[in-house]
Amino acid sequence: MCDYRIVLTFIFLLYHCFAIGQSPCFTVTSSTTPSCPGEKTGRISLTISGGSGSFLIYFNGSTSATTQTVYANYPAGIYSFRVSDTKNANCDKSFIATITNYSVPRV
């Protein structure tokens, strides 16, 4: 016996998520380049795929958004990001990226 309420709920969810034009959530990855000890030479690069293709990025707790995906000339440290899909309010991801110092060889 089929429960039609479940079927109708499933159809509604499919319609709500896809027929109205709401994109599936995105994925975001980060890569870092180490910094020279005591200097601001580190770099963080973000790669965002999927979703609507239109994103806002909030860096280190800022309330001002940007679309910038490369952050260069930073010292070693922990940096926070929040990425939001501008066309899907349900897609919002927060994460941290860590810039380390290059290992200095001992002589």
Side-chain angles (χ1 to χ4, degrees):
M1 182 168 198
C2 182
D3 186 343
Y4 294 103
R5 291 173 295 174
I6 293 172
V7 172
L8 291 175
T9 300
F10 180 72
I11 292 170
F12 172 77
L13 289 173
L14 280 177
Y15 175 78
H16 181 71
C17 292
F18 298 105
I20 294 177
Q22 190 174 34
S23 303
C25 271
F26 58 88
T27 58
V28 60
T29 57
S30 65
S31 61
T32 59
T33 304
S35 182
C36 293
E39 296 185 25
K40 295 179 179 180
T41 57
R43 175 184 171 112
I44 302 169
S45 298
L46 306 180
T47 302
I48 305 168
S49 56
S52 72
S54 179
F55 307 100
L56 293 176
I57 301 167
Y58 299 87
F59 177 63
N60 252 10
S62 175
T63 56
S64 298
T66 181
T67 57
Q68 176 182 340
T69 58
V70 176
Y71 298 81
N73 302 318
Y74 285 91
I78 298 172
Y79 299 92
S80 63
F81 292 88
R82 184 170 65 89
V83 180
S84 298
D85 190 319
T86 62
K87 296 180 182 171
N88 186 348
N90 295 321
C91 291
D92 191 78
K93 298 184 181 190
S94 296
F95 62 96
I96 60 169
T98 302
I99 296 176
T100 58
N101 280 321
Y102 278 112
S103 297
V104 178
R106 294 183 183 212
V107 184

